[in-house]
Each structure stands twice: as C-alpha cells, then as structure tokens.
Amino acid sequence: MTTLVVAASLLVGVSLGVLGGGGSILTVPILVYLAGLDTKEAIATSLFVVGVTSLAALVPHARARRVRWRTGLLFGAFSMAGAYGGGRLAAYVPGTALLVAFALMMLATAVAMLRRPRRGRPKERPAHGDLPLKHIAVEGLVVGAVTGLVGSGGGFLVVPALALLGGLPMGIAVGTSLLVIAMKSFAGLAGHLSGVEIDWRLALTVTAAAVVGSLVGGRLAGRIPQDVLRTAFGWFVVVMGVFVLAQQLDTAVWAHPATWAGLGAVSAAAIAVRLRRTPRQRVQ
C-alpha cells in the first residue's frame, strides 16, 4: 500500500510541474482511498503536500522566466484570505459533503480542461504586463475560498483565470499559478489545523515523492504538447471524480431512474454540442 501511495504521489508532482495544477485533485483521493485517512485529515494533509510541492515545481519555471511575480503575489495574497476562511468553514461541514463537493469540482474542472479554446478569446498580454487589481482581487478570493473549503490547490482554476481571463501566455500562467497555489495552500492549511491533526510522517513521505515528481514535470514542461496532456489528464480527472462521487452517494441514488435519465440527457447534450461545433471548425 505504501508503494502505491508513493507512486501515486509521484504523479501528483509531475502534474503540478507540467500543468501547474492537479495536485489536490489527485492527492485527496490518494490519501482517502489508498492511505486510509479521514476526509478532513486528508484535505489538510493535501494542502501541505501541494504547498511544498508547488514551491519545488516553481523553481525551474522561475529560472526559465515563466513567473509573473507581481501578479502571482497579489493573486496569492487575496487567495490566502479566501483559503483561510474556507479552511475555518470546513470544520463545520460534514466530511461526506466535502467529498461530494470535491467530486463535483473535479468534474467541472475536467469539463473546463477538455473544452477547446474559443476563437476570438482575449489576446495574451505582453510578457511584462500585469492584470488589473480588481480582477486579481475577485478571482483570488473566489479561488482561495474553494481551496480552503474542499482542499484543492485550485491550479485548474488559477491557470484558466490567468490565461483566459487575464490574457497571460499559457507558459507564464502555469508558472505563476504555482506561486499562487503554494501561498493559498499554506493559508488553507492554517485554517484546517485548528481542528485537524496531521500524520506528519505520512505527509512528509508523500511530499518527498511529489517533490521528485514535480522536478521531473518541470523539466518536461514545454517539451510535451500542452493540449495532449490536458486532454489525457482531463479524462483521468473525470474517472476520478465519478469514482469519488459513487463512493459517497447512496446506492439508491444511483439505482433511481431519474439519475440515469439526467445523466443520459447531459451526455446527449454534450455530444450534440460537440457534433455541432465540429463542422464549423472544419469549414473555417
């Protein structure tokens, strides 16, 4: 079991190093289902693991000048405030509810990853530009609150916010997101520590493996097509999200005809939208 936990932790680090996100989306299920931790303990531990690993993954990106320090520090500061508040609030929310919320966020994140960028999206900002303070404040507080509440570092929320909404180049958005993730992960951890005890031996073991993976991922960043990685990881997150959700919801919910009717309707709508977009893209 320990071998599986260490191997999975390596994947967490690689994900952070290459994509600038995905750490907590993998870490929480690993700690719950492989390491056998309680939900809230797993969330708090994941924040420590992801915070330290993000700092390690930040180093190669910083050396390659793929970090926007002013934007990252401001975004991180606002995210820390939201993360601390979310961490304190999590103490009053049942563990099952947190895992269900976490699974739903995984699925929403996967959809965002798998969606193709729209034509006419905002242009990238010059490499020396920074985002407006009001955008940084709003996005930072929202992403931080999600981080503290459900234990997600929010990389797959930060990167789109920086790249799509803020118009930063993708490589710089990934590097900058690691700074933000580290800051708000530690803030969220501080909020959780008031009511949760951490198995530091396990936490340090998982962190060490994840750091090694992050260094490997940092070297791979830029060499592997981002679209290929995001698509593959997006489907993996879908599978993980469905698994976590299935573990938490009552069997009667999955056996109810309305559940499958709803899933069928959503799947049919998604396929219809995909087929409708494909001819337009070919014509262009």
Side-chain angles (χ1 to χ4, degrees):
M1 187 64 69
T2 302
T3 302
L4 286 176
V5 172
V6 171
S9 300
L10 286 169
L11 180 60
V12 170
V14 172
S15 170
L16 278 168
V18 175
L19 297 177
S24 294
I25 283 180
L26 293 175
T27 306
V28 172
I30 288 170
L31 294 174
V32 171
Y33 299 111
L34 294 184
L37 296 187
D38 173 77
T39 299
K40 294 186 179 182
E41 184 181 358
I43 289 175
T45 304
S46 77
L47 290 170
F48 174 78
V49 173
V50 172
V52 175
T53 306
S54 296
L55 287 178
L58 178 65
V59 174
H61 287 277
R63 289 178 176 175
R65 299 180 183 274
R66 292 194 297 263
V67 179
R68 190 71 54 77
W69 293 102
R70 178 182 178 275
T71 297
L73 289 172
L74 287 173
F75 199 114
F78 285 108
S79 294
M80 288 175 73
Y84 181 78
R88 294 299 298 269
L89 179 62
Y92 304 97
V93 181
T96 299
L98 288 176
L99 274 183
V100 169
F102 187 79
L104 293 176
M105 194 191 71
M106 290 174 72
L107 295 175
T109 297
V111 170
M113 291 172 62
L114 294 170
R115 287 184 60 186
R116 294 182 178 180
R118 296 179 180 178
R119 293 180 177 272
R121 70 181 185 182
K123 296 182 179 180
E124 294 181 345
R125 292 176 175 270
H128 60 274
D130 286 296
L131 305 185
L133 182 59
K134 62 179 182 180
H135 290 173
I136 295 175
V138 174
E139 295 165 13
L141 287 171
V142 171
V143 173
V146 172
T147 296
L149 186 61
V150 301
S152 170
F156 288 134
L157 299 176
V158 176
V159 172
L162 295 175
L164 301 181
L165 301 179
L168 297 185
M170 185 62 187
I172 294 178
V174 169
T176 305
S177 74
L178 292 170
L179 174 62
V180 176
I181 292 169
M183 294 176 66
K184 60 194 182 68
S185 292
F186 287 127
L189 174 63
H192 277 276
L193 286 178
S194 61
V196 177
E197 292 186 3
I198 292 179
D199 180 348
W200 290 105
R201 183 177 179 180
L202 174 64
L204 292 174
T205 300
V206 172
T207 300
V211 166
V212 172
S214 73
L215 297 177
V216 174
R219 290 182 175 274
L220 291 175
R223 299 182 182 181
I224 301 176
Q226 292 289 318
D227 290 341
V228 174
L229 287 172
R230 294 183 76 85
T231 299
F233 199 81
W235 284 112
F236 179 72
V237 172
V238 168
V239 173
M240 291 293 295
V242 171
F243 173 76
V244 173
L245 198 59
Q247 293 291 317
Q248 298 305 312
L249 295 183
D250 189 86
T251 306
V253 175
W254 294 107
H256 200 284
T259 301
W260 292 101
L263 291 174
V266 171
S267 301
I271 294 173
V273 170
R274 185 68 179 269
L275 293 176
R276 185 178 179 182
R277 288 181 177 178
T278 302
R280 293 182 180 179
Q281 292 174 350
R282 290 178 178 173
V283 170
Q284 294 175 348

